């Protein structure tokens, strides 16, 4: 057994997350402050945005089922990075790790911007840009400090904030529906786009709310019985979030007038004030949103460091990301570098973009959809090359349809992001190419230096399995041209 395989086995055997904990991880990763600002971001499109939200929910469920199936075959940590590497090689793995890393720190900038909107319920009520930027930077660096203090503190902080974030959302998704006024919805399609165009544009924004649905698959190596629990946690967690999101957004649309909602920086606060009267209920929602935002930033700051750490241990990310400090092995460089980048894009967005939250959300969605697309493609690759040998015909047809839907949904999300977002996202993604070339150069030099000596073992990240060797099987001459050449 290789060293990487032994590491994966030991990690799996020592995994401590059961189904409830894994489900909580998925829900906690999905729900941040984005949902608290989402109704305002969707308001310009009108109630037709709710149709987009339903479509996005179906696509998210297809992705959740796809990740569940992939984790059954590769029950190890790494998520999209591992699936792409196993199916399409190291370069695909690197691109996914790079893109996912961008999603994490750019998403943190979006969470910070939404978080500022709720902090400013109490301070900087005039929304002066300079003070808003300072507040956003404080929101980014407090979670970074918590992460730098060690895993135990990070975990305790996450548990507390995850529990508190549910209160306003559950109340709005239940009690809020009793106060819906149809006159508040406004025109069904409030923008100047066609119905299909409005749905596509709103869907690209709404998808941001489901980023994190892959969380259980990313840490599959630390989940007990991952082949059983990761798929269940992923689908159940996504369904729970979908129910809260759809009902909560519907309640906000129905309790805040369309004009007020489009200009609001704290829509759930405004909805609570309209329902109860006065300001105390809105202030309570704002406090919960502030706590939720800090909790989400805490979790995603950890992810900002963990994904490149895993790739760096595989030699597919700069070596600095693999360096750790302290007994708990804190990846200091990954935490600091990611937070610096999130800070820069936050400042840039406040000074250069008019619609800060929406712009950063679209960039985060685009860079997240690329790993989702590769994961769906990896699933289809496996189904078409090996599915007939291991699955029943009914299961094969079902899984193929779900993976195809997930892939189509990913393409649709890219299309709805808009030309400017695709331009920025593609440019940032391609910035990874020089990094990959440099990494390959270093590995090639190492190989030259080791020539003639014993073969050096390939070091891989904990819980990350080596590539699975393919077992050739007989094929008919007619199908030979379809064979994948490794």
């Amino acid at each position: 057994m290789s060293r990487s395989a032994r590491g994966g086995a030991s990690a799996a055997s020592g995994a401590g997350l059961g189904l409830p904990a894994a489900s909580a991880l998925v829900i906690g990763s999905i729900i941040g402050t984005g949902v608290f600002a989402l109704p305002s971001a969707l308001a310009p499109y009108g109630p037709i945005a709710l149709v987009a939200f339903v479509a996005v929910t179906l696509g998210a469920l297809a992705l959740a089922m796809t990740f569940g199936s992939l984790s059954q075959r590769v029950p190890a940590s790494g998520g999209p990075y591992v699936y792409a590497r196993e199916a399409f090689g190291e370069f695909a793995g690197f691109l996914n790790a790079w893109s996912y890393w961008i999603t994490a720190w750019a998403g943190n900038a979006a969470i910070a911007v939404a978080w500022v909107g709720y902090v400013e319920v109490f301070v900087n009520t005039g929304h002066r840009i300079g003070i808003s930027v300072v507040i956003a930077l404080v929101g980014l660096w407090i979670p970074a400090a918590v992460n730098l203090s060690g895993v135990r503190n990070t975990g305790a902080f996450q548990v507390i904030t995850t529990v508190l974030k549910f209160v306003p959302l559950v109340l709005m998704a239940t009690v809020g529906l009793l106060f819906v006024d149809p006159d508040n919805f406004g025109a069904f399609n409030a923008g100047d786009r066609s119905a299909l165009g409005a749905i596509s544009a709103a869907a690209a924004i709404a998808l941001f709310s489901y980023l994190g649905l892959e969380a259980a698959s990313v840490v599959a190596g630390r989940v007990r019985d991952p082949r059983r629990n990761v798929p269940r946690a992923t689908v159940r967690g996504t369904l729970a979030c979908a129910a809260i999101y759809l009902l909560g957004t519907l309640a906000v649309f129905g309790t805040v007038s369309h004009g007020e909602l489009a200009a609001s920086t704290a829509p759930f606060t405004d909805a609570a004030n309209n329902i109860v009267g006065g300001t105390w209920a809105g202030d309570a929602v704002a406090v919960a949103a502030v706590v939720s935002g800090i909790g989400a930033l805490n979790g995603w700051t950890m992810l900002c460091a963990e994904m490149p750490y895993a790739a760096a241990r595989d030699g597919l990310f700069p070596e600095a990301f693999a360096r750790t400090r302290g007994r708990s092995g804190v990846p200091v460089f990954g935490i600091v570098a990611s937070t610096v980048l999130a800070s820069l894009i936050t400042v840039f967005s406040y000074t250069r973009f008019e619609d800060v939250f929406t712009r950063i959300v679209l960039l985060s969605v685009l860079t997240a959809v690329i790993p989702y697309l590769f994961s769906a493609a990896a699933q289809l690759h496996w189904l078409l090359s090996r599915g007939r040998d291991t699955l029943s015909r009914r299961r094969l047809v079902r899984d193929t349809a779900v993976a195809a839907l997930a892939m189509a949904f990913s393409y649709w999300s890219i299309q709805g992001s808009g030309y400017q977002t695709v331009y920025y996202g593609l440019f940032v993604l391609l910035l990874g190419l020089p990094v990959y070339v440099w990494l390959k150069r270093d590995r090639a030099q190492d190989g030259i230096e080791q020539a003639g000596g014993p073969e050096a073992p390939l070091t891989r990240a904990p819980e990350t399995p080596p590539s699975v060797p393919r077992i050739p099987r007989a094929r008919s001459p007619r199908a030979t041209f379809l064979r994948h050449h490794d």
Side-chain angles (χ1 to χ4, degrees), residues 65-155:
M65 294 175 67
T66 298
F67 277 114
S69 296
L70 287 166
S71 65
Q72 287 180 321
R73 290 196 303 279
V74 189
S77 294
Y81 157 68
V82 175
Y83 308 145
R85 194 200 70 206
E86 293 300 304
F88 308 118
E90 289 190 345
F91 181 62
F94 167 80
L95 280 182
N96 277 264
W98 179 265
S99 185
Y100 198 89
W101 179 59
I102 294 171
T103 296
W105 58 257
N108 273 0
I111 293 173
V113 170
W115 181 76
V116 167
Y118 282 92
V119 173
E120 290 181 345
V121 171
F122 308 103
V123 298
N124 192 34
T125 55
H127 306 298
R128 294 172 57 187
I129 291 180
I131 298 178
S132 296
V133 170
V134 172
I135 295 172
L137 293 179
V138 170
L140 287 169
W141 283 97
I142 288 177
V146 174
N147 273 264
L148 289 171
S149 69
V151 176
R152 179 175 297 181
N153 292 338
T154 302

Side-chain angles (χ1 to χ4, degrees), residues 188-259:
F188 182 67
N189 186 0
D192 55 359
R193 300 171 181 258
S194 65
L196 182 58
I199 291 174
S200 296
I205 298 173
L207 179 59
F208 179 75
S209 298
Y210 287 105
L211 297 188
L213 61 87
E214 71 287 346
S217 66
V218 172
V219 299
R222 304 192 183 277
V223 177
R224 291 195 297 270
D225 192 7
R227 285 189 169 89
R228 175 178 178 270
N229 288 333
V230 170
R232 293 186 177 188
T234 302
V235 175
R236 292 179 182 180
T238 304
L239 281 172
C241 292
I244 293 175
Y245 279 171
L246 290 172
L247 296 178
T249 304
L250 175 64
V252 173
F253 265 74
T255 54
V256 182
S257 66
H258 179 261

Side-chain angles (χ1 to χ4, degrees), residues 129-388:
I129 291 180
I131 298 178
S132 296
V133 170
V134 172
I135 295 172
L137 293 179
V138 170
L140 287 169
W141 283 97
I142 288 177
V146 174
N147 273 264
L148 289 171
S149 69
V151 176
R152 179 175 297 181
N153 292 338
T154 302
F157 193 83
Q158 190 68 22
V159 169
I160 295 172
T161 54
T162 298
V163 172
L164 293 176
K165 73 174 61 178
F166 274 91
V167 177
L169 292 176
V170 172
L171 287 176
M172 191 59 63
T174 53
V175 178
L177 293 176
L178 302 176
F179 296 88
V180 168
D181 182 355
D183 293 335
N184 287 326
F185 286 103
F188 182 67
N189 186 0
D192 55 359
R193 300 171 181 258
S194 65
L196 182 58
I199 291 174
S200 296
I205 298 173
L207 179 59
F208 179 75
S209 298
Y210 287 105
L211 297 188
L213 61 87
E214 71 287 346
S217 66
V218 172
V219 299
R222 304 192 183 277
V223 177
R224 291 195 297 270
D225 192 7
R227 285 189 169 89
R228 175 178 178 270
N229 288 333
V230 170
R232 293 186 177 188
T234 302
V235 175
R236 292 179 182 180
T238 304
L239 281 172
C241 292
I244 293 175
Y245 279 171
L246 290 172
L247 296 178
T249 304
L250 175 64
V252 173
F253 265 74
T255 54
V256 182
S257 66
H258 179 261
E260 181 185 356
L261 182 59
S264 175
T265 59
F268 273 83
T269 292
D270 294 337
N273 287 336
N274 290 346
I275 290 172
V276 179
T279 61
W280 69 268
D283 290 347
V285 170
V287 170
V290 170
V291 173
S292 175
I294 284 291
L297 287 167
N298 182 66
W300 278 96
T301 298
M302 177 185 289
L303 190 58
C304 281
E306 289 298 324
M307 177 62 76
Y309 169 73
R313 287 289 300 271
D314 287 350
L316 294 178
F317 228 73
E319 184 181 354
F321 285 90
R323 296 171 187 160
T324 59
R325 187 190 69 185
R327 285 194 222 169
S328 58
V330 177
V332 175
F333 182 84
I335 294 171
V336 174
S338 300
T339 306
V340 167
L341 289 171
S343 300
L344 291 175
I345 196 174
T346 298
V347 173
F348 178 79
S349 297
Y350 266 110
T351 56
R352 301 294 294 274
F353 289 152
E354 294 180 3
D355 195 346
V356 181
F357 178 76
T358 302
R359 296 280 186 170
I360 304 179
V361 161
L362 289 174
L363 177 62
S364 300
V365 167
L366 180 67
T367 53
V369 166
I370 292 172
Y372 291 171
L373 183 63
F374 269 91
S375 296
Q379 170 75 340
L380 281 175
H381 171 267
W382 185 87
L383 290 171
L384 296 178
S385 61
R386 299 188 190 180
R388 287 175 295 178

